[in-house]
Amino acid sequence: MKDVSVPDLTGRLAVVTGASDGIGLALAARLARAGAELVLPVRDHAKGEAAVARVRAAAPGALVALGELDLASLASVAEFAGKLNAGGRPVAILVNNAGVMAPATRHTTADGLELQFGTNHIGHVALTARILPLLRAGRARVTTMSSSAARTGRIDWADPQSERAYSPIRSYGQSKLANLMFGLELDRRSRAGGWGIVSNVAHPGTSLTNLYASGPNMGRERPARHEAIMKRLARWGMFVQPPEQGLLPALYAATSPQAQGGRFYGPDGLGQFTGGPAELAVYRRARDRAEAARLWDLSERLAGAGFGA
């Protein structure tokens, strides 16, 4: 498996959402080993403390701080961003990684948004917008995590919150398509506005993380089979990879001097399930710039936070 050579990140501040476990945690450890100073915004403080211990075990002497953040609450996003802004430290790397996948029944955020769209997309839009001054000061690399599910996703403009009809997979695909469209549009707007931010998108292929247990079991009386199936495929070495491999496209996108803004990175293997990091063709629905601008406007309104000029 092709690895990623990470440049020296000493003295640079990186913020990674969803780093209490899975790909986010493994990615944080790789950034710390390269010298980055980390802020890990987490929802569960106990899991966050355990994650910090694991990062420091992987990178002795690493500078790691915890932040409190629930992406399913815009008030929490505003509070976390406010504390980060008050510190005034430029952010060099932001990885919008946290997410929820395919709850069996429709759930909503604290603000009444469909949980997947609200957490995976709107929460990250709000965070990115609110710390924009720090990103601009750090001439940051912003990498937003999408999924191969974006390939079949579509934005349901008539029912973006899945209020009329909810499908776990369809709503997840919409949220991941929105992630992809946002990351590409952010780069276009940065270039047009001279913000100095480089924005790109990555997807981890099929990686065995707790996404396959936590999301699908929400709203169910009996455990879903997703995790068991994934573990079986992983044992067979078929179509599934560990987080340490799944993180590579995002690590490349967020740190490599060769990675560019406005690009999409993912696994180079069959079907984009597994493999080393490679630039991918942007999925068809994410290429429509008019749709991306429409999503941007909707997202700013729902996030209650804008990017200014």
PDB file of all heavy atoms in Angstrom, residues 97-136:
ATOM      1  N   ASN A  97     -14.013  16.195   9.128  1.00  0.00           N
ATOM      2  CA  ASN A  97     -14.074  14.745   9.030  1.00  0.00           C
ATOM      3  C   ASN A  97     -15.268  14.110   9.725  1.00  0.00           C
ATOM      4  O   ASN A  97     -15.755  13.063   9.286  1.00  0.00           O
ATOM      5  CB  ASN A  97     -12.775  14.160   9.616  1.00  0.00           C
ATOM      6  CG  ASN A  97     -12.882  12.684   9.913  1.00  0.00           C
ATOM      7  OD1 ASN A  97     -12.864  11.857   9.009  1.00  0.00           O
ATOM      8  ND2 ASN A  97     -13.012  12.344  11.187  1.00  0.00           N
ATOM      9  N   ALA A  98     -15.752  14.697  10.808  1.00  0.00           N
ATOM     10  CA  ALA A  98     -16.776  14.040  11.623  1.00  0.00           C
ATOM     11  C   ALA A  98     -18.055  13.798  10.826  1.00  0.00           C
ATOM     12  O   ALA A  98     -18.371  14.528   9.883  1.00  0.00           O
ATOM     13  CB  ALA A  98     -17.090  14.891  12.854  1.00  0.00           C
ATOM     14  N   GLY A  99     -18.785  12.770  11.222  1.00  0.00           N
ATOM     15  CA  GLY A  99     -20.045  12.514  10.526  1.00  0.00           C
ATOM     16  C   GLY A  99     -20.854  11.418  11.168  1.00  0.00           C
ATOM     17  O   GLY A  99     -20.403  10.704  12.066  1.00  0.00           O
ATOM     18  N   VAL A 100     -22.072  11.299  10.689  1.00  0.00           N
ATOM     19  CA  VAL A 100     -22.986  10.233  11.091  1.00  0.00           C
ATOM     20  C   VAL A 100     -23.513   9.589   9.824  1.00  0.00           C
ATOM     21  O   VAL A 100     -23.681  10.273   8.803  1.00  0.00           O
ATOM     22  CB  VAL A 100     -24.118  10.787  11.981  1.00  0.00           C
ATOM     23  CG1 VAL A 100     -24.947  11.832  11.243  1.00  0.00           C
ATOM     24  CG2 VAL A 100     -25.008   9.668  12.495  1.00  0.00           C
ATOM     25  N   MET A 101     -23.758   8.286   9.871  1.00  0.00           N
ATOM     26  CA  MET A 101     -24.152   7.569   8.660  1.00  0.00           C
ATOM     27  C   MET A 101     -25.393   6.719   8.883  1.00  0.00           C
ATOM     28  O   MET A 101     -25.430   5.874   9.771  1.00  0.00           O
ATOM     29  CB  MET A 101     -23.014   6.660   8.182  1.00  0.00           C
ATOM     30  CG  MET A 101     -23.293   5.964   6.867  1.00  0.00           C
ATOM     31  SD  MET A 101     -21.947   4.853   6.364  1.00  0.00           S
ATOM     32  CE  MET A 101     -22.248   3.483   7.488  1.00  0.00           C
ATOM     33  N   ALA A 102     -26.402   6.985   8.075  1.00  0.00           N
ATOM     34  CA  ALA A 102     -27.545   6.103   7.849  1.00  0.00           C
ATOM     35  C   ALA A 102     -28.302   5.662   9.095  1.00  0.00           C
ATOM     36  O   ALA A 102     -28.540   4.466   9.290  1.00  0.00           O
ATOM     37  CB  ALA A 102     -27.102   4.883   7.051  1.00  0.00           C
ATOM     38  N   PRO A 103     -28.746   6.601   9.968  1.00  0.00           N
ATOM     39  CA  PRO A 103     -29.664   6.171  11.029  1.00  0.00           C
ATOM     40  C   PRO A 103     -30.911   5.528  10.422  1.00  0.00           C
ATOM     41  O   PRO A 103     -31.412   5.986   9.393  1.00  0.00           O
ATOM     42  CB  PRO A 103     -30.015   7.474  11.746  1.00  0.00           C
ATOM     43  CG  PRO A 103     -28.911   8.409  11.412  1.00  0.00           C
ATOM     44  CD  PRO A 103     -28.470   8.032  10.032  1.00  0.00           C
ATOM     45  N   ALA A 104     -31.413   4.496  11.071  1.00  0.00           N
ATOM     46  CA  ALA A 104     -32.545   3.751  10.510  1.00  0.00           C
ATOM     47  C   ALA A 104     -33.800   4.601  10.403  1.00  0.00           C
ATOM     48  O   ALA A 104     -34.615   4.421   9.491  1.00  0.00           O
ATOM     49  CB  ALA A 104     -32.815   2.516  11.359  1.00  0.00           C
ATOM     50  N   THR A 105     -33.963   5.532  11.339  1.00  0.00           N
ATOM     51  CA  THR A 105     -35.119   6.426  11.320  1.00  0.00           C
ATOM     52  C   THR A 105     -34.634   7.871  11.306  1.00  0.00           C
ATOM     53  O   THR A 105     -33.482   8.151  11.639  1.00  0.00           O
ATOM     54  CB  THR A 105     -36.011   6.203  12.551  1.00  0.00           C
ATOM     55  OG1 THR A 105     -35.228   6.405  13.748  1.00  0.00           O
ATOM     56  CG2 THR A 105     -36.589   4.794  12.560  1.00  0.00           C
ATOM     57  N   ARG A 106     -35.504   8.762  10.903  1.00  0.00           N
ATOM     58  CA  ARG A 106     -35.122  10.168  10.777  1.00  0.00           C
ATOM     59  C   ARG A 106     -34.898  10.789  12.155  1.00  0.00           C
ATOM     60  O   ARG A 106     -35.764  10.719  13.025  1.00  0.00           O
ATOM     61  CB  ARG A 106     -36.199  10.953  10.016  1.00  0.00           C
ATOM     62  CG  ARG A 106     -35.827  12.417   9.751  1.00  0.00           C
ATOM     63  CD  ARG A 106     -36.937  13.124   8.971  1.00  0.00           C
ATOM     64  NE  ARG A 106     -36.586  14.492   8.669  1.00  0.00           N
ATOM     65  CZ  ARG A 106     -36.816  15.534   9.472  1.00  0.00           C
ATOM     66  NH1 ARG A 106     -37.421  15.329  10.640  1.00  0.00           N
ATOM     67  NH2 ARG A 106     -36.470  16.766   9.119  1.00  0.00           N
ATOM     68  N   HIS A 107     -33.744  11.395  12.325  1.00  0.00           N
ATOM     69  CA  HIS A 107     -33.417  12.141  13.532  1.00  0.00           C
ATOM     70  C   HIS A 107     -33.111  13.576  13.121  1.00  0.00           C
ATOM     71  O   HIS A 107     -32.799  13.846  11.954  1.00  0.00           O
ATOM     72  CB  HIS A 107     -32.207  11.543  14.239  1.00  0.00           C
ATOM     73  CG  HIS A 107     -32.436  10.183  14.802  1.00  0.00           C
ATOM     74  ND1 HIS A 107     -32.613   9.945  16.147  1.00  0.00           N
ATOM     75  CD2 HIS A 107     -32.528   8.969  14.196  1.00  0.00           C
ATOM     76  CE1 HIS A 107     -32.796   8.657  16.353  1.00  0.00           C
ATOM     77  NE2 HIS A 107     -32.740   8.041  15.176  1.00  0.00           N
ATOM     78  N   THR A 108     -33.176  14.480  14.080  1.00  0.00           N
ATOM     79  CA  THR A 108     -32.897  15.883  13.788  1.00  0.00           C
ATOM     80  C   THR A 108     -31.818  16.430  14.723  1.00  0.00           C
ATOM     81  O   THR A 108     -31.575  15.897  15.808  1.00  0.00           O
ATOM     82  CB  THR A 108     -34.155  16.759  13.930  1.00  0.00           C
ATOM     83  OG1 THR A 108     -34.686  16.619  15.252  1.00  0.00           O
ATOM     84  CG2 THR A 108     -35.210  16.355  12.905  1.00  0.00           C
ATOM     85  N   THR A 109     -31.174  17.489  14.266  1.00  0.00           N
ATOM     86  CA  THR A 109     -30.202  18.192  15.088  1.00  0.00           C
ATOM     87  C   THR A 109     -30.927  19.069  16.097  1.00  0.00           C
ATOM     88  O   THR A 109     -32.157  19.185  16.095  1.00  0.00           O
ATOM     89  CB  THR A 109     -29.294  19.077  14.221  1.00  0.00           C
ATOM     90  OG1 THR A 109     -30.092  20.154  13.689  1.00  0.00           O
ATOM     91  CG2 THR A 109     -28.672  18.301  13.074  1.00  0.00           C
ATOM     92  N   ALA A 110     -30.145  19.716  16.953  1.00  0.00           N
ATOM     93  CA  ALA A 110     -30.722  20.639  17.925  1.00  0.00           C
ATOM     94  C   ALA A 110     -31.464  21.779  17.248  1.00  0.00           C
ATOM     95  O   ALA A 110     -32.341  22.412  17.856  1.00  0.00           O
ATOM     96  CB  ALA A 110     -29.619  21.196  18.819  1.00  0.00           C
ATOM     97  N   ASP A 111     -31.155  22.029  15.986  1.00  0.00           N
ATOM     98  CA  ASP A 111     -31.761  23.134  15.244  1.00  0.00           C
ATOM     99  C   ASP A 111     -32.852  22.659  14.283  1.00  0.00           C
ATOM    100  O   ASP A 111     -33.318  23.438  13.449  1.00  0.00           O
ATOM    101  CB  ASP A 111     -30.671  23.882  14.486  1.00  0.00           C
ATOM    102  CG  ASP A 111     -29.543  24.316  15.415  1.00  0.00           C
ATOM    103  OD1 ASP A 111     -29.734  25.285  16.153  1.00  0.00           O
ATOM    104  OD2 ASP A 111     -28.489  23.645  15.421  1.00  0.00           O
ATOM    105  N   GLY A 112     -33.237  21.399  14.381  1.00  0.00           N
ATOM    106  CA  GLY A 112     -34.340  20.884  13.580  1.00  0.00           C
ATOM    107  C   GLY A 112     -33.970  20.435  12.184  1.00  0.00           C
ATOM    108  O   GLY A 112     -34.858  20.163  11.374  1.00  0.00           O
ATOM    109  N   LEU A 113     -32.675  20.329  11.883  1.00  0.00           N
ATOM    110  CA  LEU A 113     -32.241  19.856  10.574  1.00  0.00           C
ATOM    111  C   LEU A 113     -32.150  18.335  10.582  1.00  0.00           C
ATOM    112  O   LEU A 113     -31.870  17.737  11.622  1.00  0.00           O
ATOM    113  CB  LEU A 113     -30.880  20.445  10.215  1.00  0.00           C
ATOM    114  CG  LEU A 113     -30.752  21.969  10.269  1.00  0.00           C
ATOM    115  CD1 LEU A 113     -29.316  22.381  10.002  1.00  0.00           C
ATOM    116  CD2 LEU A 113     -31.693  22.620   9.274  1.00  0.00           C
ATOM    117  N   GLU A 114     -32.376  17.711   9.417  1.00  0.00           N
ATOM    118  CA  GLU A 114     -32.165  16.262   9.333  1.00  0.00           C
ATOM    119  C   GLU A 114     -30.743  15.964   9.778  1.00  0.00           C
ATOM    120  O   GLU A 114     -29.795  16.640   9.386  1.00  0.00           O
ATOM    121  CB  GLU A 114     -32.414  15.785   7.902  1.00  0.00           C
ATOM    122  CG  GLU A 114     -32.426  14.275   7.741  1.00  0.00           C
ATOM    123  CD  GLU A 114     -31.034  13.687   7.582  1.00  0.00           C
ATOM    124  OE1 GLU A 114     -30.224  14.267   6.822  1.00  0.00           O
ATOM    125  OE2 GLU A 114     -30.753  12.654   8.233  1.00  0.00           O
ATOM    126  N   LEU A 115     -30.564  14.952  10.618  1.00  0.00           N
ATOM    127  CA  LEU A 115     -29.315  14.759  11.338  1.00  0.00           C
ATOM    128  C   LEU A 115     -28.100  14.644  10.433  1.00  0.00           C
ATOM    129  O   LEU A 115     -27.051  15.243  10.709  1.00  0.00           O
ATOM    130  CB  LEU A 115     -29.416  13.512  12.223  1.00  0.00           C
ATOM    131  CG  LEU A 115     -28.206  13.239  13.116  1.00  0.00           C
ATOM    132  CD1 LEU A 115     -28.019  14.346  14.138  1.00  0.00           C
ATOM    133  CD2 LEU A 115     -28.360  11.887  13.809  1.00  0.00           C
ATOM    134  N   GLN A 116     -28.193  13.877   9.344  1.00  0.00           N
ATOM    135  CA  GLN A 116     -27.023  13.676   8.489  1.00  0.00           C
ATOM    136  C   GLN A 116     -26.666  14.949   7.727  1.00  0.00           C
ATOM    137  O   GLN A 116     -25.500  15.343   7.681  1.00  0.00           O
ATOM    138  CB  GLN A 116     -27.279  12.520   7.521  1.00  0.00           C
ATOM    139  CG  GLN A 116     -27.484  11.193   8.246  1.00  0.00           C
ATOM    140  CD  GLN A 116     -27.766  10.064   7.293  1.00  0.00           C
ATOM    141  OE1 GLN A 116     -26.854   9.387   6.829  1.00  0.00           O
ATOM    142  NE2 GLN A 116     -29.038   9.852   6.985  1.00  0.00           N
ATOM    143  N   PHE A 117     -27.650  15.585   7.126  1.00  0.00           N
ATOM    144  CA  PHE A 117     -27.401  16.829   6.402  1.00  0.00           C
ATOM    145  C   PHE A 117     -26.921  17.908   7.377  1.00  0.00           C
ATOM    146  O   PHE A 117     -25.991  18.667   7.075  1.00  0.00           O
ATOM    147  CB  PHE A 117     -28.674  17.275   5.687  1.00  0.00           C
ATOM    148  CG  PHE A 117     -28.488  18.395   4.708  1.00  0.00           C
ATOM    149  CD1 PHE A 117     -27.841  18.184   3.505  1.00  0.00           C
ATOM    150  CD2 PHE A 117     -28.964  19.668   4.986  1.00  0.00           C
ATOM    151  CE1 PHE A 117     -27.670  19.223   2.592  1.00  0.00           C
ATOM    152  CE2 PHE A 117     -28.798  20.707   4.085  1.00  0.00           C
ATOM    153  CZ  PHE A 117     -28.149  20.485   2.884  1.00  0.00           C
ATOM    154  N   GLY A 118     -27.546  17.949   8.557  1.00  0.00           N
ATOM    155  CA  GLY A 118     -27.209  18.973   9.535  1.00  0.00           C
ATOM    156  C   GLY A 118     -25.838  18.799  10.156  1.00  0.00           C
ATOM    157  O   GLY A 118     -25.123  19.782  10.386  1.00  0.00           O
ATOM    158  N   THR A 119     -25.455  17.556  10.427  1.00  0.00           N
ATOM    159  CA  THR A 119     -24.164  17.282  11.064  1.00  0.00           C
ATOM    160  C   THR A 119     -23.029  17.235  10.051  1.00  0.00           C
ATOM    161  O   THR A 119     -22.025  17.955  10.180  1.00  0.00           O
ATOM    162  CB  THR A 119     -24.221  15.934  11.816  1.00  0.00           C
ATOM    163  OG1 THR A 119     -25.273  15.969  12.785  1.00  0.00           O
ATOM    164  CG2 THR A 119     -22.901  15.647  12.503  1.00  0.00           C
ATOM    165  N   ASN A 120     -23.191  16.380   9.049  1.00  0.00           N
ATOM    166  CA  ASN A 120     -22.096  16.156   8.093  1.00  0.00           C
ATOM    167  C   ASN A 120     -21.783  17.395   7.281  1.00  0.00           C
ATOM    168  O   ASN A 120     -20.614  17.682   6.999  1.00  0.00           O
ATOM    169  CB  ASN A 120     -22.459  15.011   7.144  1.00  0.00           C
ATOM    170  CG  ASN A 120     -22.719  13.698   7.862  1.00  0.00           C
ATOM    171  OD1 ASN A 120     -22.470  13.572   9.050  1.00  0.00           O
ATOM    172  ND2 ASN A 120     -23.242  12.723   7.144  1.00  0.00           N
ATOM    173  N   HIS A 121     -22.832  18.127   6.898  1.00  0.00           N
ATOM    174  CA  HIS A 121     -22.626  19.273   5.998  1.00  0.00           C
ATOM    175  C   HIS A 121     -22.779  20.612   6.706  1.00  0.00           C
ATOM    176  O   HIS A 121     -21.809  21.373   6.813  1.00  0.00           O
ATOM    177  CB  HIS A 121     -23.588  19.180   4.826  1.00  0.00           C
ATOM    178  CG  HIS A 121     -23.562  20.370   3.927  1.00  0.00           C
ATOM    179  ND1 HIS A 121     -22.399  20.821   3.315  1.00  0.00           N
ATOM    180  CD2 HIS A 121     -24.553  21.244   3.552  1.00  0.00           C
ATOM    181  CE1 HIS A 121     -22.665  21.907   2.607  1.00  0.00           C
ATOM    182  NE2 HIS A 121     -23.954  22.186   2.739  1.00  0.00           N
ATOM    183  N   ILE A 122     -23.970  20.918   7.213  1.00  0.00           N
ATOM    184  CA  ILE A 122     -24.229  22.263   7.747  1.00  0.00           C
ATOM    185  C   ILE A 122     -23.334  22.575   8.940  1.00  0.00           C
ATOM    186  O   ILE A 122     -22.813  23.691   9.070  1.00  0.00           O
ATOM    187  CB  ILE A 122     -25.713  22.433   8.116  1.00  0.00           C
ATOM    188  CG1 ILE A 122     -26.600  22.289   6.871  1.00  0.00           C
ATOM    189  CG2 ILE A 122     -25.945  23.787   8.779  1.00  0.00           C
ATOM    190  CD1 ILE A 122     -26.322  23.308   5.783  1.00  0.00           C
ATOM    191  N   GLY A 123     -23.117  21.611   9.826  1.00  0.00           N
ATOM    192  CA  GLY A 123     -22.237  21.861  10.968  1.00  0.00           C
ATOM    193  C   GLY A 123     -20.839  22.245  10.534  1.00  0.00           C
ATOM    194  O   GLY A 123     -20.216  23.147  11.099  1.00  0.00           O
ATOM    195  N   HIS A 124     -20.333  21.572   9.496  1.00  0.00           N
ATOM    196  CA  HIS A 124     -18.988  21.896   9.004  1.00  0.00           C
ATOM    197  C   HIS A 124     -18.954  23.214   8.242  1.00  0.00           C
ATOM    198  O   HIS A 124     -17.952  23.937   8.291  1.00  0.00           O
ATOM    199  CB  HIS A 124     -18.459  20.756   8.133  1.00  0.00           C
ATOM    200  CG  HIS A 124     -17.956  19.593   8.932  1.00  0.00           C
ATOM    201  ND1 HIS A 124     -18.448  18.323   8.793  1.00  0.00           N
ATOM    202  CD2 HIS A 124     -16.989  19.528   9.890  1.00  0.00           C
ATOM    203  CE1 HIS A 124     -17.807  17.513   9.631  1.00  0.00           C
ATOM    204  NE2 HIS A 124     -16.917  18.214  10.310  1.00  0.00           N
ATOM    205  N   VAL A 125     -20.021  23.529   7.534  1.00  0.00           N
ATOM    206  CA  VAL A 125     -20.094  24.843   6.890  1.00  0.00           C
ATOM    207  C   VAL A 125     -20.035  25.936   7.952  1.00  0.00           C
ATOM    208  O   VAL A 125     -19.284  26.919   7.822  1.00  0.00           O
ATOM    209  CB  VAL A 125     -21.388  24.970   6.056  1.00  0.00           C
ATOM    210  CG1 VAL A 125     -21.581  26.420   5.588  1.00  0.00           C
ATOM    211  CG2 VAL A 125     -21.357  24.036   4.855  1.00  0.00           C
ATOM    212  N   ALA A 126     -20.823  25.772   9.019  1.00  0.00           N
ATOM    213  CA  ALA A 126     -20.847  26.773  10.086  1.00  0.00           C
ATOM    214  C   ALA A 126     -19.474  26.916  10.736  1.00  0.00           C
ATOM    215  O   ALA A 126     -19.006  28.034  10.991  1.00  0.00           O
ATOM    216  CB  ALA A 126     -21.893  26.383  11.138  1.00  0.00           C
ATOM    217  N   LEU A 127     -18.808  25.804  10.996  1.00  0.00           N
ATOM    218  CA  LEU A 127     -17.480  25.856  11.615  1.00  0.00           C
ATOM    219  C   LEU A 127     -16.482  26.566  10.706  1.00  0.00           C
ATOM    220  O   LEU A 127     -15.749  27.462  11.149  1.00  0.00           O
ATOM    221  CB  LEU A 127     -16.997  24.432  11.907  1.00  0.00           C
ATOM    222  CG  LEU A 127     -15.554  24.303  12.409  1.00  0.00           C
ATOM    223  CD1 LEU A 127     -15.373  25.027  13.730  1.00  0.00           C
ATOM    224  CD2 LEU A 127     -15.164  22.832  12.544  1.00  0.00           C
ATOM    225  N   THR A 128     -16.450  26.172   9.439  1.00  0.00           N
ATOM    226  CA  THR A 128     -15.505  26.779   8.500  1.00  0.00           C
ATOM    227  C   THR A 128     -15.750  28.276   8.369  1.00  0.00           C
ATOM    228  O   THR A 128     -14.801  29.073   8.352  1.00  0.00           O
ATOM    229  CB  THR A 128     -15.613  26.094   7.131  1.00  0.00           C
ATOM    230  OG1 THR A 128     -15.471  24.668   7.282  1.00  0.00           O
ATOM    231  CG2 THR A 128     -14.539  26.587   6.179  1.00  0.00           C
ATOM    232  N   ALA A 129     -17.012  28.669   8.270  1.00  0.00           N
ATOM    233  CA  ALA A 129     -17.334  30.089   8.137  1.00  0.00           C
ATOM    234  C   ALA A 129     -16.931  30.879   9.376  1.00  0.00           C
ATOM    235  O   ALA A 129     -16.373  31.983   9.271  1.00  0.00           O
ATOM    236  CB  ALA A 129     -18.829  30.261   7.869  1.00  0.00           C
ATOM    237  N   ARG A 130     -17.179  30.310  10.537  1.00  0.00           N
ATOM    238  CA  ARG A 130     -16.935  31.058  11.778  1.00  0.00           C
ATOM    239  C   ARG A 130     -15.455  31.201  12.115  1.00  0.00           C
ATOM    240  O   ARG A 130     -15.076  32.140  12.828  1.00  0.00           O
ATOM    241  CB  ARG A 130     -17.701  30.412  12.938  1.00  0.00           C
ATOM    242  CG  ARG A 130     -19.213  30.617  12.838  1.00  0.00           C
ATOM    243  CD  ARG A 130     -19.940  30.184  14.099  1.00  0.00           C
ATOM    244  NE  ARG A 130     -21.368  30.411  13.996  1.00  0.00           N
ATOM    245  CZ  ARG A 130     -21.978  31.574  14.210  1.00  0.00           C
ATOM    246  NH1 ARG A 130     -21.246  32.641  14.538  1.00  0.00           N
ATOM    247  NH2 ARG A 130     -23.286  31.691  14.100  1.00  0.00           N
ATOM    248  N   ILE A 131     -14.625  30.298  11.622  1.00  0.00           N
ATOM    249  CA  ILE A 131     -13.184  30.458  11.882  1.00  0.00           C
ATOM    250  C   ILE A 131     -12.445  30.932  10.627  1.00  0.00           C
ATOM    251  O   ILE A 131     -11.218  30.819  10.546  1.00  0.00           O
ATOM    252  CB  ILE A 131     -12.548  29.165  12.435  1.00  0.00           C
ATOM    253  CG1 ILE A 131     -12.580  28.022  11.413  1.00  0.00           C
ATOM    254  CG2 ILE A 131     -13.213  28.748  13.737  1.00  0.00           C
ATOM    255  CD1 ILE A 131     -11.720  26.826  11.844  1.00  0.00           C
ATOM    256  N   LEU A 132     -13.190  31.486   9.690  1.00  0.00           N
ATOM    257  CA  LEU A 132     -12.577  31.954   8.444  1.00  0.00           C
ATOM    258  C   LEU A 132     -11.402  32.905   8.673  1.00  0.00           C
ATOM    259  O   LEU A 132     -10.375  32.791   7.986  1.00  0.00           O
ATOM    260  CB  LEU A 132     -13.629  32.607   7.550  1.00  0.00           C
ATOM    261  CG  LEU A 132     -13.157  33.032   6.151  1.00  0.00           C
ATOM    262  CD1 LEU A 132     -12.764  31.803   5.327  1.00  0.00           C
ATOM    263  CD2 LEU A 132     -14.256  33.813   5.427  1.00  0.00           C
ATOM    264  N   PRO A 133     -11.483  33.842   9.628  1.00  0.00           N
ATOM    265  CA  PRO A 133     -10.324  34.729   9.841  1.00  0.00           C
ATOM    266  C   PRO A 133      -9.055  33.959  10.213  1.00  0.00           C
ATOM    267  O   PRO A 133      -7.953  34.307   9.760  1.00  0.00           O
ATOM    268  CB  PRO A 133     -10.775  35.635  10.990  1.00  0.00           C
ATOM    269  CG  PRO A 133     -12.272  35.642  10.894  1.00  0.00           C
ATOM    270  CD  PRO A 133     -12.638  34.264  10.461  1.00  0.00           C
ATOM    271  N   LEU A 134      -9.197  32.907  11.020  1.00  0.00           N
ATOM    272  CA  LEU A 134      -8.027  32.114  11.401  1.00  0.00           C
ATOM    273  C   LEU A 134      -7.508  31.303  10.221  1.00  0.00           C
ATOM    274  O   LEU A 134      -6.294  31.111  10.071  1.00  0.00           O
ATOM    275  CB  LEU A 134      -8.382  31.169  12.552  1.00  0.00           C
ATOM    276  CG  LEU A 134      -8.882  31.814  13.844  1.00  0.00           C
ATOM    277  CD1 LEU A 134      -9.129  30.742  14.896  1.00  0.00           C
ATOM    278  CD2 LEU A 134      -7.903  32.853  14.364  1.00  0.00           C
ATOM    279  N   LEU A 135      -8.418  30.806   9.386  1.00  0.00           N
ATOM    280  CA  LEU A 135      -8.013  30.062   8.196  1.00  0.00           C
ATOM    281  C   LEU A 135      -7.289  30.969   7.213  1.00  0.00           C
ATOM    282  O   LEU A 135      -6.283  30.575   6.616  1.00  0.00           O
ATOM    283  CB  LEU A 135      -9.239  29.427   7.538  1.00  0.00           C
ATOM    284  CG  LEU A 135      -9.999  28.384   8.367  1.00  0.00           C
ATOM    285  CD1 LEU A 135     -11.292  27.996   7.677  1.00  0.00           C
ATOM    286  CD2 LEU A 135      -9.136  27.148   8.614  1.00  0.00           C
ATOM    287  N   ARG A 136      -7.790  32.175   7.052  1.00  0.00           N
ATOM    288  CA  ARG A 136      -7.139  33.117   6.152  1.00  0.00           C
ATOM    289  C   ARG A 136      -5.759  33.507   6.688  1.00  0.00           C
ATOM    290  O   ARG A 136      -4.787  33.592   5.935  1.00  0.00           O
ATOM    291  CB  ARG A 136      -8.008  34.355   5.953  1.00  0.00           C
ATOM    292  CG  ARG A 136      -9.305  34.074   5.213  1.00  0.00           C
ATOM    293  CD  ARG A 136     -10.077  35.348   4.891  1.00  0.00           C
ATOM    294  NE  ARG A 136      -9.323  36.200   3.971  1.00  0.00           N
ATOM    295  CZ  ARG A 136      -9.818  37.296   3.396  1.00  0.00           C
ATOM    296  NH1 ARG A 136     -11.073  37.667   3.649  1.00  0.00           N
ATOM    297  NH2 ARG A 136      -9.085  38.020   2.573  1.00  0.00           N
TER     298      ARG A 136
END
